[in-house]
Amino acid sequence: MTNCRPRSLLHTLLFLIVFLACSSNIASFYLPGVAPTDYKKNSTVELLVNSLTPGILPQTQQLKSVIPYDYYNDKFHFCKPADLSMQSESLGSILFGDRIFKSRFELNMQIPVDCKILCDDVVTIPPADAKFINARIRENYVINWLIDGLPAATNLIDGKKFYSGVGFGLGQVTSSGIPHFNNHYKIIVKVHKQEDKYRVVGVFVDPSSRNYSAAVTEKTACAKTWDPLVLDENKANKVIFTYTVEWQSESQIQWATRWDSYLHVFDPKIHWFSLVNSIVIVLFLTGMVAMILLRALHKDITRYNQLDSQACFGLTETKKRREGKKKEDVQEDFGWKLVHGDVFRPPSNVMLLSVLLGNGIQLFCMTAVTLVFAVLGFLSPSNRGSLATVMIIFYMLFASVSGYVSARVYKMFAGKSWNKNIIMTATLLPVLIFSILFTINFFLVGANSSGAVPATTMIGTIVLWFLISVPLSCIGSYIGFKKPAIEHPVRTNPIPRQIPDQVFYLRPIPSMLMGGVLPFGAIFIELYFIMSSIWGNKIYYLFGIASLVFVILTITCSEVTILLCYFHLCAEDYHWSWRAFLTSGASGLYIFLYSIMYYTTKLHITSFTSTVVYFGWTSLMSLLFFILTGAIGYFACLVFVRKIFASIKPPERAVSTDADIERSQQVIIQRSGHRYKVLSYSPYSLR
C-alpha cells in the first residue's frame, strides 16, 4: 500500500497535465446565456473610448511608463461628446484603471464613411500641452477604443502569423526622434452576416498623421497626401481630427471565436518548456520525499517500535532501567526522535503566525477557486475586469476560512488572547493591502492619472470589507474557538531541550533562501508572461497552464518544506513552525528580486511616480505570494510532523526515583558537536 503512493501521485499529476494543457489550448468561448448583439443595416454602432495606456516599444521591447491617462484628459484635446457620462463598469475594471466614455464618432452598420471631420471647430493645442503629448508619443502610449465589446486593434505579426494587438498608437516617432501626432483614423469593422443581421467580429484602426491646412473640408481632407503633423512646443498648434469607416464582411470568423486573434500565444514552446521544467522539479522532490518516507523514516520507526514491543513485563526494576537505556541508545542514533518532547512546543509570536496562516489559506482558497472558474471559461476577456472582480469577491467570502484556520492554530498552541486573534485575523492583512493601495493612489492622483481609484469606489470597497469580510472572519474565528483544541500525538516536556550548533546550510537564512529557490523556479517562466500582461497591455488567457503551474507550485512548496523540516529535526532543531512558513514563503522574496530585474531589463522608466506605482504593486504581489506559499509550507510540514511522531511510541523515562527527580533540577547537558558541557540537569533533556 505504501509503495503505491508515489505511483498514484505521478498518475494524478499526469492526468492534471493532460487535462489542463488541453484546456489551455481551447479557443476563447462564451458561456450559454451570453447573447451576441445583432445589428441591422444602418443601425447605430456605438464606439466607446477608454484610457490611454503605455505600450512596449517595438524597437527595444521596453516600457517607458506605467501610468494610464483619461481619454478626455484636457491635455490631449480630443473632441468631447455632448454626453460625457462614464459607462458603468465592474469593480475590478475600475480598480485597474478602465475609464470608458462615449465618443463623437458616428458609425452605422454597413454605411461607409469616406472622410469626416470629427470636431465642430479646429482644436487649438497650446505649447505646454503639445510638450505633454509629444512626451506621451515618445513613451509609446496607445489609444484604446471599444466597439461591441471588442477592443480596437492593430495588425501585428509574430513570425508568420498575424494577430491583433490591443490599441493603436497615439503617434509615432521617426528614426530622427521627431514625434508625429496621429489625427486621422481609418476604422475597419469586420462583420459576420447571418440572414439580414450583422455581428461585429473584428475592429482595426489604422491611424495616420496629417498636417491639415485651416481651409480643409471633408471633401479635400482625404483627397490628397498630407505632410505629417508635428506639434510645435513653442507655439499654439491648430489640429483637425478626421476619420473614415470601412465595413468588411467576414465569413470565416464566427462571433463565438472573435477573440481568438487577440489571445495570441507568444512562443508556445516556452510555455511547454516551463511546464517541463516545473514537472522535473516536482518529480525530483517527490523522489527525495518518497525515499525519506519509504526508506529512512520507515526504517527508523520500525526499529524504534520493535524495541518498544519487547515489553518489560516481568522484569526487575534494574532490568527495566537497562531496557530503557538501550532504547535511549537507539534513539541517540536517530536525531529526529530525540526532540519528540519539544517538537510541538508553541513557537514564538504564535499570535502573528496564526494570523498569517489564516490569511494564507484564505489566499489559497481564493486562488484555487478563481482558477477553476477561469479554466471553465467563466472569466471571458469580453467581460472587462471580471478576473479582478471575482478575486475580490472570493477573497471576501473566504474570510470565514481565514478566521477558522487562525483560531484553530492559535488554540492548538494554547493561546489565551482569543479576542485579539479575532481582530488581527480580520484586519492585519487588509489594512496592509489598503495602506499600499492608498499610497499608490496618492501618487496617481498627483499625476492626474486615470489609474487613480475614485474616492467613492475606495470608500465602497472599504464598506464592503466591513460588511462582508470582517463579519465572516469573526464567524469563522468563533466556530474555530468553539472546536476542541487539536491534540498533539506526543506530550511536550516542561523544560526546553538544548539545540546543538547547526551546520551552515541548516541555519535560518541559508535554509530559507535554499527552500525558496525551488518554488520560484517552478513558476518564474510563466511569471514573465503574467508580468508582461500586467504591464505590457497584453491579454493573458492561458488559465489551463496557469492552473497546472499553481498545482505544481503547491506540491513544490510542500515537498521542499518537508525535506528541510526533516533535516532540521535530524539535527535536533525543533523550531520548525516559523522555519516551515519562511522556507516556502521565501519564494515571495525571489519574486520581488525578479521584479527588480524586470524593472531594469524590460522597463525604461524615468518618472518617479511610475517607479512608485510599479514597486508598490510588485511589493503587494510579493507580500501576498509570501503569505500564500508560507501557509502551504507550514501545513504540509505540520501534517508531516504529526504523522511521523504519531507513528512512534513515547519512550519510558529511565529516571524514576524521588532522589533522581530532585537531582534532576540541577543539570542540563549542552551538546556542541561531539562535546558535552554540563550546565544543569533535567531528565527531560538528558539522554
Side-chain angles (χ1 to χ4, degrees), residues 357-533:
L357 291 174
N359 283 278
I361 294 300
Q362 180 183 5
L363 292 171
F364 178 84
C365 295
M366 175 203 73
T367 306
V369 176
T370 301
L371 286 175
V372 169
F373 274 77
V375 169
L376 295 177
F378 286 90
L379 305 181
S380 169
S382 62
N383 189 3
R384 302 183 66 86
S386 59
L387 178 62
T389 303
V390 167
M391 290 178 68
I392 293 170
I393 292 173
F394 282 138
Y395 178 77
M396 291 184 178
L397 293 179
F398 283 118
S400 56
V401 178
S402 171
Y404 178 81
V405 171
S406 178
R408 295 286 282 162
V409 172
Y410 188 65
K411 191 172 184 179
M412 179 179 69
F413 289 116
K416 302 299 181 183
S417 303
W418 59 269
N419 51 353
K420 183 179 179 181
N421 177 268
I422 293 175
I423 295 173
M424 288 188 65
T425 303
T427 59
L428 180 62
L429 184 59
V431 167
L432 284 174
I433 294 174
F434 280 125
S435 299
I436 295 174
L437 293 181
F438 273 122
T439 303
I440 296 173
N441 209 55
F442 174 79
F443 283 93
L444 289 175
V445 170
N448 196 23
S449 169
S450 65
V453 180
T456 53
T457 304
M458 188 69 77
I459 293 172
T461 306
I462 296 175
V463 170
L464 281 176
W465 171 62
F466 266 112
L467 295 179
I468 299 176
S469 182
V470 173
L472 287 176
S473 178
C474 295
I475 292 172
S477 296
Y478 175 78
I479 297 174
F481 280 116
K482 280 293 183 181
K483 293 280 186 179
I486 300 173
E487 294 184 359
H488 302 307
V490 292
R491 291 181 298 177
T492 302
N493 292 335
I495 301 177
R497 178 185 178 84
Q498 294 294 321
I499 300 176
D501 292 339
Q502 303 292 302
V503 295
F504 172 75
Y505 59 85
L506 290 181
R507 292 176 183 174
I509 294 180
S511 63
M512 286 185 287
L513 293 178
M514 287 190 301
V517 166
L518 291 176
F520 173 75
I523 66 164
F524 82 98
I525 297 179
E526 206 62 30
L527 180 63
Y528 167 78
F529 293 98
I530 294 175
M531 295 279 282
S532 298
S533 172

Side-chain angles (χ1 to χ4, degrees), residues 597-616:
M597 187 194 74
Y598 189 88
Y599 177 84
T600 56
T601 58
K602 295 297 180 181
L603 304 182
H604 187 66
I605 293 176
T606 57
S607 166
F608 177 72
T609 301
S610 294
T611 302
V612 171
V613 171
Y614 175 80
F615 281 108

Side-chain angles (χ1 to χ4, degrees), residues 106-107 111-116 243-247:
E106 297 177 1
L107 280 74
I111 306 299
V113 177
D114 292 332
C115 198
K116 188 169 185 176
Y243 69 97
T244 61
V245 180
E246 180 181 332
W247 302 88

Side-chain angles (χ1 to χ4, degrees), residues 62-272:
Q62 288 185 327
L63 198 68
K64 288 192 172 184
S65 177
V66 296
I67 300 176
Y69 290 98
D70 266 334
Y71 183 84
Y72 291 122
N73 188 306
D74 292 337
K75 294 184 178 181
F76 289 116
H77 295 273
F78 290 127
C79 306
K80 297 180 181 180
D83 181 11
L84 201 57
S85 59
M86 189 170 68
Q87 302 292 301
S88 59
E89 286 295 313
S90 64
L91 177 61
S93 179
I94 295 174
L95 290 177
F96 284 90
D98 285 338
R99 304 292 182 268
I100 300 176
F101 298 89
K102 293 183 178 181
S103 69
R104 292 178 63 98
F105 294 91
E106 297 177 1
L107 280 74
N108 298 94
M109 179 60 68
Q110 293 295 91
I111 306 299
V113 177
D114 292 332
C115 198
K116 188 169 185 176
I117 296 177
L118 184 62
C119 307
D120 295 332
D121 302 315
V122 177
V123 177
T124 302
I125 301 179
D129 294 346
K131 184 177 181 180
F132 175 83
I133 294 174
N134 287 337
R136 302 293 80 78
I137 294 174
R138 292 189 179 97
E139 291 174 346
N140 197 39
Y141 269 73
V142 297
I143 298 174
N144 296 287
W145 291 350
L146 296 169
I147 295 180
D148 193 41
L150 273 182
T154 50
N155 270 321
L156 302 175
I157 186 170
D158 179 25
K160 296 182 179 180
K161 186 175 181 180
F162 286 93
Y163 68 96
S164 301
V166 177
F168 56 93
L170 175 65
Q172 55 271 345
V173 181
T174 64
S175 57
S176 57
I178 300 175
H180 294 169
F181 181 46
N182 292 331
N183 61 328
H184 175 78
Y185 312 107
K186 181 181 179 181
I187 304 171
I188 302 172
V189 183
K190 295 184 177 182
V191 296
H192 180 79
K193 184 179 180 181
Q194 288 186 337
E195 298 177 353
D196 61 338
K197 298 178 181 179
Y198 300 88
R199 294 177 180 177
V200 177
V201 295
V203 180
F204 297 90
V205 176
D206 182 17
S208 57
S209 179
R210 300 182 179 184
N211 189 11
Y212 292 120
S213 62
V216 70
T217 63
E218 292 183 349
K219 292 183 179 180
T220 60
C222 299
K224 67 173 185 176
T225 302
W226 299 88
D227 293 331
L229 174 61
V230 179
L231 299 180
D232 195 332
E233 299 180 6
N234 297 315
K235 64 178 183 180
N237 300 267
K238 303 293 184 179
V239 178
I240 297 175
F241 292 93
T242 58
Y243 69 97
T244 61
V245 180
E246 180 181 332
W247 302 88
Q248 295 181 358
S249 296
E250 185 65 60
S251 59
Q252 295 181 349
I253 302 177
Q254 300 290 326
W255 183 86
T257 59
R258 62 180 187 165
W259 277 90
D260 286 0
S261 62
Y262 293 88
L263 308 178
H264 176 69
V265 179
F266 295 89
D267 262 334
K269 292 182 180 179
I270 295 181
H271 291 277
W272 288 111

